[in-house]
Amino acid sequence: SYSVLEFRRVLFRSKTVALLAQAAERQGRPQQARSHYQKLLSLWSRADAAVPEVQRARARISALARR
């Protein structure tokens, strides 16, 4: 099980990775954005699929794949 410190670390990293993904999208770099979203899913691999961050990352990966 995760300790509180470990959870905070994952939460901080995931927010950072999400921001990097969003920035890459805005800059027109879909491959880099997908890579960051994949990293985000990796960080949240033990989370419930209903977690909003997981749902958003999956939705963005899907949308970027259609480009």
Side-chain angles (χ1 to χ4, degrees), residues 2-47:
Y2 281 123
S3 68
V4 172
L5 181 60
E6 189 173 359
F7 176 76
R8 286 181 180 168
R9 210 174 290 143
V10 168
L11 187 59
F12 178 77
R13 282 190 70 203
S14 67
K15 287 183 179 188
T16 302
V17 172
L19 289 172
L20 288 170
Q22 292 165 10
E25 276 195 77
R26 284 192 301 274
Q27 294 171 351
R29 299 182 308 192
Q31 288 181 324
Q32 191 172 20
R34 278 194 305 270
S35 176
H36 288 305
Y37 285 123
Q38 289 288 354
K39 176 69 175 179
L40 184 61
L41 291 178
S42 174
L43 289 169
W44 283 96
S45 64
R46 298 176 79 189

